[in-house]
Amino acid sequence: MPTATATAPTASRARTRTGGPQDDSRLLEHALGWTLVVVLAMLLTQTGLI
């Protein structure tokens, strides 16, 4: 059964993927995060909560 051992790493690799964000989009993630922080700060300042 050499085919069963050859497909085992592929099958286990496919099971470990969760469909989460990729590691190569760190710049976009940081830019969107800081944009959210700035928009939230502007909203809180305009409403007088800070």
Side-chain angles (χ1 to χ4, degrees):
M1 270 195 219
T3 57
T5 58
T7 58
T10 305
S12 66
R13 207 175 319 135
R15 275 185 267 141
T16 58
R17 295 285 306 167
T18 60
Q22 300 293 327
D23 289 334
D24 55 321
S25 65
R26 300 294 289 172
L27 180 64
L28 179 62
E29 183 180 345
H30 283 292
L32 290 175
W34 279 110
T35 303
L36 177 64
V37 168
V38 169
V39 168
L40 185 62
M42 288 171 44
L43 177 68
L44 291 174
T45 303
Q46 289 294 320
T47 58
L49 295 175
I50 312 182

